[in-house]
């Protein structure tokens, strides 16, 4: 298949897939809404600015203080990632489907692509969780930090704001914004299953590379906040998919720097 064929207008085959894809994303958001109303909502609402004061969170489960909450957190994180990040993958998914549309195993290859993509975000969520545990250890050792969690929030806002101006941000963003080149650089069809996973992992790595500090903002506004999920998800989708997305990185960074300064002053 040529690049021009891959990037043509929507085919009849695509017209049912796009609503199905959108419905899956909406289902993920609906599941998060149900989670938010459930007794287990607290296990996804990590707030690093309160981590010292809330050090005994997640003790009510039979599995104990670590295993049960960690499993709930992992499931919630994957669901949150699907809701927030899958919409940003649609251009790449459409290109990949067209490249593989003549294959009998195309549905399986697409599933492997999604599995590779989500596995990267899952790994990032685990690392973020470990970072939170490290902050918890620091908070338990420092009375001052226990009652001054705003320092953590200000630091993440500052780092996220500065990162919006970094070369790495723009390099990863350009990779995410070029789905055709991204697919054809990594797909030959000789080892389809492996290449599908590798393509998903690579795209996930680029997405994490351009959005990881924006996602860490969820840990200072509360990872269970549906409102903030929608705001940050929209920002990342605009950055990656809109024609002028590359140009909004700097204004977003400026807003984050002002927010960091506001936290310090307040």
């Amino acid at each position: 298949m040529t690049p021009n064929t891959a990037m043509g207008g929507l085919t009849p085959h695509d017209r049912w897939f796009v609503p199905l894809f959108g419905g899956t994303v909406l289902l993920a958001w609906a599941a998060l809404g149900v989670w938010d109303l459930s007794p287990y909502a607290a296990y996804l609402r990590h707030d690093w600015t309160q981590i010292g004061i809330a050090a005994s969170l997640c003790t009510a489960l039979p599995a104990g203080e670590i295993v049960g909450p960690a499993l709930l957190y992992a499931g919630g994180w994957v669901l949150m990632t699907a809701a927030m990040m899958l919409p940003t993958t649609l251009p790449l998914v459409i290109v990949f489907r067209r490249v593989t549309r003549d294959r009998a195993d195309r549905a399986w290859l697409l599933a492997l692509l999604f599995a590779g993509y989500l596995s990267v975000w899952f790994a990032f969520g685990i690392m973020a969780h470990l970072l939170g545990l490290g902050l918890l250890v620091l908070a338990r050792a420092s009375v001052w930090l226990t009652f001054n969690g705003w320092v953590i929030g200000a630091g993440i806002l500052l780092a996220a704001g500065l990162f919006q101006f970094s070369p790495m941000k723009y390099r990863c963003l350009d990779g995410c914004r070029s789905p055709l080149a991204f697919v054809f650089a990594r797909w030959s069809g000789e080892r389809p299953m492996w290449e599908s996973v590798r393509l998903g992992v690579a795209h996930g790595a680029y997405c994490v590379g351009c959005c990881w500090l924006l996602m860490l903002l969820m840990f200072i506004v509360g990872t269970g906040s549906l409102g903030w999920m929608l705001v940050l998800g929209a920002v990342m989708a605009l950055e990656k998919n809109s024609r002028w997305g590359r140009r909004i990185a700097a204004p977003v960074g400026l807003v984050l720097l002002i927010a960091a300064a506001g936290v310090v002053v307040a």
Side-chain angles (χ1 to χ4, degrees):
M1 176 175 292
T2 66
N4 288 335
T5 302
M7 286 301 290
L10 286 179
T11 66
H13 193 50
D14 291 321
R15 291 193 182 102
W16 66 262
F17 174 77
V18 173
L20 180 62
F21 183 89
T24 302
V25 172
L26 289 176
L27 185 61
W29 280 107
L32 282 172
V34 172
W35 186 310
D36 191 52
L37 298 174
S38 76
Y40 298 101
Y43 297 100
L44 188 58
R45 290 176 182 164
H46 294 339
D47 182 352
W48 288 353
T49 64
Q50 302 292 327
I51 199 164
I53 299 172
S56 298
L57 188 69
C58 305
T59 59
L61 293 182
E65 188 176 353
I66 297 177
V67 177
L71 290 175
L72 280 172
Y73 166 79
W77 177 265
V78 171
L79 189 60
M80 186 176 74
T81 302
M84 294 179 67
M85 301 310 301
L86 280 185
T88 71
T89 69
L90 183 58
L92 180 122
V93 169
I94 288 179
V95 171
F96 182 75
R97 288 185 69 252
R98 295 181 187 178
V99 169
T100 60
R101 67 183 176 185
D102 295 327
R103 300 184 61 98
D105 58 351
R106 57 186 178 273
W108 173 240
L109 296 180
L110 185 61
L112 291 175
L113 174 75
F114 283 132
Y117 180 82
L118 291 175
S119 68
V120 176
W121 277 106
F122 179 75
F124 173 76
I126 295 299
M127 289 188 287
H129 188 60
L130 292 175
L131 177 60
L133 292 178
L135 292 174
L136 176 58
V137 171
L138 289 177
R140 284 175 169 169
S142 170
V143 175
W144 183 87
L145 185 58
T146 296
F147 293 96
N148 290 276
W150 62 268
V151 172
I152 299 172
I156 294 176
L157 284 167
L158 176 62
L162 293 174
F163 185 72
Q164 290 293 107
F165 298 93
S166 70
M168 180 181 175
K169 168 76 177 187
Y170 288 97
R171 185 161 57 249
C172 292
L173 193 58
D174 287 343
C176 291
R177 288 173 53 79
S178 307
L180 182 64
F182 202 93
V183 170
F184 277 92
R186 294 165 178 82
W187 175 264
S188 67
E190 296 177 359
R191 302 171 64 190
M193 289 191 292
W194 162 246
E195 289 176 17
S196 298
V197 174
R198 184 182 65 176
L199 182 60
V201 169
H203 192 60
Y206 271 78
C207 287
V208 170
C210 69
C211 300
W212 69 280
L213 272 163
L214 289 178
M215 284 296 282
L216 283 188
L217 293 177
M218 289 301 304
F219 291 91
I220 67 171
V221 297
T223 49
S225 170
L226 292 180
W228 282 113
M229 287 183 202
L230 284 167
V231 170
L232 290 174
V235 169
M236 289 183 283
L238 287 172
E239 278 190 343
K240 291 171 61 178
N241 293 344
S242 68
R243 287 183 301 174
W244 36 271
R246 200 176 189 274
R247 288 178 286 178
I248 72 172
V252 169
L254 183 60
V255 170
L256 293 173
L257 292 176
I258 292 173
V263 170
V264 173
V265 171

